[in-house]
């Protein structure tokens, strides 16, 4: 704890981002995927038999999901780590959670924090309980969109009281089952609306047929992840990727299997470490990078290669090497929007202009990420302008200053990347990285020390 205080400096709210003395050279073991962990928890909770999650992520978002499921009567037992300390470290890579499924119970209260997966994946499950289940969260969570999902649930037979706000706080009044069937939903503001309906659909009386009727659907890899995990749990799913109708997903009612699943490393959380190689001209290896995955973070291999790096994927994992020069990029990030803050940080240090497109939906994430990136990079001397659906970033000489994070973990890690080569960058509330990556400051210092950082 003393070392952590020292790392934070005199003002614990401001973290002095460490400056790299040269090219980084490290192996960094990142924790499990938040997206996989929280989907696996939902599927295990609805299964017919107990299941295991091995190497799960223990972060604020996943612990909120686990606690919410416990409040609904689902048993979750942890092994190989204390349940009282959020370290994010699956000790010796042996931590596991045993999930004992059951019929969701009510009354219950769900605290969502600012976790989109919790606030969106759990209302369909709560509709299967008998009685009221209330949902609330952080102030920012009350501003994040839910109307499309809530309207869809109502059309499937759920009773939900949100006083017409279309956001938190709300109460789901379950009657023990949900009719299901065909439903239209505008998921242009969040693909999580579709994933939320699909994950619980095997327990609906008629399953579900979800038809997206809005504008461009963002973050399609996350829907593919949901579909793949449903199929692995024994669900029958028809989807556009398997030859089905465009923008339509169908799930047949039926029992889910209790599984023993090993959670993949979170590839999006590997982003700042890969970015470090680009901006310092170094090398980083991420062990256990999967050869085949639905995680959006896998797109970093191509994106960061276009920006000047080189990567090798072998039995050691993914090794990424920077050339010492960063190229600008023109990229449609609509399917991988969560990567935008880290890409923007690298682009701010590039030799040429970058245009990041297809990410208008980021205005409704943990914060308005487009406005925040523009404001904070420009405060360090950058030249970033918002476009209708993204950012235009022109290279400028940056200087030190405070980088505000707005309680957004990806803004905090993006600031750390800038601080590698820009002297005197101070990151406000680096602790917000605990949302998905506890222990990030220690990992970051470990990478710079080249000591084989592990999380």
């Amino acid at each position: 704890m003393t070392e952590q205080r020292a790392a934070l400096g005199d003002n614990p709210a401001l973290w002095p981002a460490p400056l790299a003395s040269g090219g980084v050279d490290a192996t960094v073991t990142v924790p499990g995927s938040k997206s996989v962990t929280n989907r696996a928890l939902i599927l295990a909770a609805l299964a017919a038999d107990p299941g295991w999650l091995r190497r799960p992520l223990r972060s604020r978002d996943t612990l909120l999901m686990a606690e919410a499921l416990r409040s609904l009567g689902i048993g979750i037992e942890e092994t190989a780590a204390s349940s009282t300390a959020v370290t994010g470290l699956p000790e010796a890579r042996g931590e596991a959670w045993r999930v004992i499924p059951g019929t969701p119970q009510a009354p219950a209260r769900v605290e969502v924090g600012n976790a989109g997966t919790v606030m969106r994946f759990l209302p369909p499950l709560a509709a299967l309980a008998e009685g009221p289940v209330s949902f609330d969260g952080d102030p920012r969570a009350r501003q994040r969109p839910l109307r499309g999902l809530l309207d869809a649930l109502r059309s499937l037979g759920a009773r939900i009281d949100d006083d017409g706000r279309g956001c938190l706080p709300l109460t789901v009044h379950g009657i023990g089952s949900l009719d299901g069937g065909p439903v239209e939903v505008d998921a242009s503001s969040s693909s999580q609306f579709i994933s939320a309906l699909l994950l619980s659909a095997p327990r609906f009386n008629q399953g579900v047929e979800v038809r997206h009727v809005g504008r461009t659907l963002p973050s399609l890899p996350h829907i593919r992840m949901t579909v793949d995990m449903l199929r692995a749990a024994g669900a029958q799913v028809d989807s556009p990727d398997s030859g089905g109708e465009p923008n339509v997903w169908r799930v047949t009612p039926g029992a889910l299997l209790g599984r023993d699943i090993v959670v993949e490393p979170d590839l999006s959380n590997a982003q700042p470490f890969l970015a470090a190689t680009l901006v310092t001209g170094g090398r980083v290896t991420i062990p256990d990078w999967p050869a085949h995955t639905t995680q959006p973070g896998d797109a970093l291999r191509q994106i960061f290669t276009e920006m000047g790096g080189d990567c090798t994927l072998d039995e050691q994992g993914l090794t990424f090497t920077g050339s010492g020069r960063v190229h600008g990029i023109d990229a449609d990030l609509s399917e991988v929007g969560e990567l935008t803050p880290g890409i923007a940080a690298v682009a701010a240090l590039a030799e040429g202009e970058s245009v990041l497109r297809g990410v208008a939906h980021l205005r409704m994430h943990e914060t308005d990420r487009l406005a925040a990136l523009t404001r904070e990079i420009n405060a360090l001397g950058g030249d970033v302008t918002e476009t209708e659906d993204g950012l235009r970033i022109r290279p400028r000489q940056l200087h030190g200053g405070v980088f505000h994070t707005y309680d957004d973990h990806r803004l905090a890690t993006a600031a750390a990347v800038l601080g590698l080569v820009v002297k005197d960058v101070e990151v406000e509330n680096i602790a917000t990285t605990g949302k998905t990556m506890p222990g990030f400051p220690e990992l970051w210092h470990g990478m710079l020390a080249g000591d084989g950082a592990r999380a």
Side-chain angles (χ1 to χ4, degrees):
M1 184 63 70
T2 301
E3 293 178 357
Q4 291 180 13
R5 288 196 200 98
L8 291 173
D10 294 333
N11 184 348
L14 295 179
W15 180 67
L19 192 70
S21 59
V24 298
D25 188 359
T27 296
V28 181
T29 303
V30 299
S33 164
K34 178 200 74 173
S35 298
V36 172
T37 298
N38 275 357
R39 283 166 173 78
L41 282 171
I42 293 285
L43 293 173
L46 294 172
D49 304 297
W52 287 89
L53 275 69
R54 304 192 187 275
R55 304 186 199 170
L57 173 67
R58 295 187 79 253
S59 70
R60 187 186 187 214
D61 279 14
T62 60
L63 292 176
L64 283 168
M65 179 68 84
E67 190 55 37
L69 290 171
R70 289 188 181 106
S71 74
L72 290 163
I74 307 301
I76 301 177
E77 302 172 351
E78 301 183 44
T79 65
S82 168
S83 61
T84 61
V86 184
T87 65
L89 304 177
E91 291 298 337
R93 305 162 69 80
E95 180 176 329
W97 293 351
R98 183 170 184 255
V99 181
I100 304 168
T103 301
Q105 303 296 308
R109 182 180 183 278
V110 172
E111 167 60 44
V112 312
N114 194 15
T117 51
V118 180
M119 73 177 72
R120 291 162 182 154
F121 290 179
L122 278 174
L125 185 147
L128 302 174
E130 288 194 37
V133 180
S134 62
F135 291 78
D136 204 357
D138 296 351
R140 173 61 181 175
R142 292 186 170 196
Q143 301 172 14
R144 299 182 68 179
L146 287 172
R147 186 178 303 279
L149 172 63
L150 301 183
D151 288 348
L153 284 171
R154 290 185 179 106
S155 72
L156 294 174
R159 180 186 159 209
I160 302 171
D161 178 14
D162 67 340
D163 291 333
R165 292 183 301 270
C167 57
L168 297 174
L170 61 88
T171 300
V172 177
H173 298 275
I175 58 173
S177 65
L178 200 63
D179 292 339
V183 63
E184 294 185 345
V185 58
D186 180 353
S188 55
S189 62
S190 176
S191 68
Q192 290 176 352
F193 293 176
I194 291 175
S195 287
L197 295 168
L198 299 182
L199 285 167
S200 294
R203 291 282 294 271
F204 299 169
N205 296 336
Q206 303 173 46
V208 79
E209 177 187 281
V210 180
R211 184 180 300 271
H212 169 62
V213 294
R215 303 182 306 277
T216 301
L217 184 59
S219 304
L220 276 170
H222 279 124
I223 298 178
R224 297 185 192 113
M225 178 187 294
T226 298
V227 169
D228 284 0
M229 293 183 68
L230 275 163
R231 287 174 176 153
Q236 181 178 332
V237 186
D238 293 328
S239 69
D241 288 342
S242 58
E245 188 177 350
N247 288 326
V248 177
W249 293 261
R250 298 181 178 88
V251 178
T252 302
L256 293 172
L257 306 174
R259 299 181 60 217
D260 191 325
I261 181 173
V262 178
V263 178
E264 297 175 352
D266 194 312
L267 307 188
S268 295
N269 276 344
Q271 181 182 33
F273 305 98
L274 300 182
T277 70
L278 283 175
V279 302
T280 69
R283 178 180 62 185
V284 163
T285 297
I286 309 293
D288 301 321
W289 193 286
H292 304 284
T293 181
T294 53
Q295 289 193 60
D298 194 45
L300 289 167
R301 289 193 289 160
Q302 175 182 345
I303 293 169
F304 278 172
T305 296
E306 291 181 20
M307 298 189 80
D310 181 72
C311 68
T312 301
L313 182 60
D314 55 25
E315 65 277 3
Q316 304 301 318
L318 180 74
T319 298
F320 204 90
T321 305
S323 64
R325 301 180 63 183
V326 181
H327 308 313
I329 191 172
D330 189 325
D332 182 346
L333 303 179
S334 57
E335 292 198 356
V336 294
E338 67 189 47
L339 304 179
T340 302
I343 294 171
V346 174
L349 302 168
E351 297 177 350
E353 179 177 294
S354 294
V355 179
L356 310 182
R357 309 176 187 276
V359 288
H361 60 286
L362 295 188
R363 295 187 170 99
M364 294 173 285
H365 275 220
E366 280 82 344
T367 188
D368 180 341
R369 285 178 168 166
L370 300 185
L373 286 165
T374 300
R375 184 180 304 114
E376 298 308 315
I377 294 175
N378 287 350
L380 302 182
D383 184 359
V384 183
T385 55
E386 285 191 60
T387 64
E388 181 180 354
D389 69 340
L391 299 172
R392 183 179 299 275
I393 304 170
R394 300 176 178 87
R396 291 289 187 274
Q397 184 67 41
L398 302 184
H399 56 72
V402 174
F403 193 107
H404 300 93
T405 61
Y406 311 92
D407 295 323
D408 188 323
H409 57 128
R410 300 212 187 276
L411 284 174
T413 55
V417 171
L418 292 171
L420 288 173
V421 293
V422 180
K423 187 178 180 181
D424 296 331
V425 171
E426 295 184 296
V427 185
E428 175 202 49
N429 189 20
I430 193 66
T432 195
T433 54
K435 186 176 192 293
T436 60
M437 192 163 39
F440 171 77
E442 292 76 18
L443 271 177
W444 201 243
H445 283 283
M447 174 192 68
L448 289 169
D451 60 1
R454 177 183 292 274

